[in-house]
Amino acid sequence: MTISLERRGVSCVAELLEKDAPRTCEAVWRALPLEGDAYHAKYARNEVYTMVERFADEEVGLENPTVTPIPGDVVYFSFPGGMLDRAFKEEKGIHGLPGVIDLAIFYGRNNLLLNGDVGWVPGNVYATIVEGLDRMAEACNDVWRSGAVGERLVYRRAGS
């Protein structure tokens, strides 16, 4: 799978972890391509993510979960509508959805998935970046420094 920051023209290649997260991999693979506005995390540290509408017929549940993702982890989060606060949902334009899927990449060390409102937020590690992490990390850091306005995070099947 390729993951791109479209406006910055940077892509990386991620390998699906089908043995560790088979349900998540299947759900994501079937739904590709997936894309949305890119955001840089405020609290998790070195994370760039997008939020998309739910796409699986059934929720995949937790598998291969982490609260301490490492550089190169590609993580799936499922948030029911009630878990996200009103201002956040309005800011992201998702206030009318019953829930969302957060697709995230982690590009640096020392990440901690702890939300002050709800506590620990485990996510499914379903892929790992195997090519282009250095370039992607530079671009993600630029999202942090320069801003995410106009940036899109795009997930595609490799070669498409």
Side-chain angles (χ1 to χ4, degrees):
M1 164 175 77
T2 62
I3 304 168
S4 305
L5 284 169
E6 195 169 65
R7 188 170 62 86
R8 286 171 171 80
V10 177
S11 295
C12 60
V13 176
E15 180 180 305
L16 295 175
L17 301 174
E18 295 173 288
K19 290 181 180 176
D20 298 317
R23 295 185 314 272
T24 309
C25 289
E26 182 178 353
V28 170
W29 186 254
R30 286 180 180 209
L32 292 176
L34 293 163
E35 66 179 271
D37 291 339
Y39 300 97
H40 197 287
K42 290 181 181 180
Y43 305 110
R45 193 165 166 110
N46 300 297
E47 172 191 5
V48 170
Y49 67 95
T50 191
M51 292 194 162
V52 299
E53 289 188 41
R54 293 178 179 232
F55 49 79
D57 293 333
E58 292 184 25
E59 177 52 49
V60 298
L62 281 179
E63 61 179 359
N64 201 32
T66 189
V67 293
T68 56
I70 61 173
D73 277 352
V74 182
V75 182
Y76 167 105
F77 301 91
S78 178
F79 296 120
M83 183 174 176
L84 305 171
D85 71 53
R86 179 190 51 77
F88 181 85
K89 290 189 289 188
E90 288 175 357
E91 174 187 315
K92 305 290 189 261
I94 59 173
H95 53 281
L97 299 176
V100 294
I101 301 301
D102 174 329
L103 300 173
I105 59 173
F106 290 84
Y107 66 91
R109 296 173 44 99
N110 301 321
N111 304 294
L112 188 62
L113 302 178
L114 181 61
N115 178 299
D117 295 328
V118 297
W120 297 106
V121 183
N124 296 352
V125 180
Y126 72 96
T128 186
I129 296 173
V130 295
E131 184 181 314
L133 179 58
D134 290 346
R135 290 185 314 277
M136 183 59 80
E138 287 177 22
C140 288
N141 195 55
D142 188 58
V143 171
W144 173 251
R145 288 187 355 259
S146 302
V149 174
E151 185 60 85
R152 306 274 298 166
L153 188 61
V154 181
Y155 293 73
R156 291 188 181 96
R157 293 180 182 191
S160 59

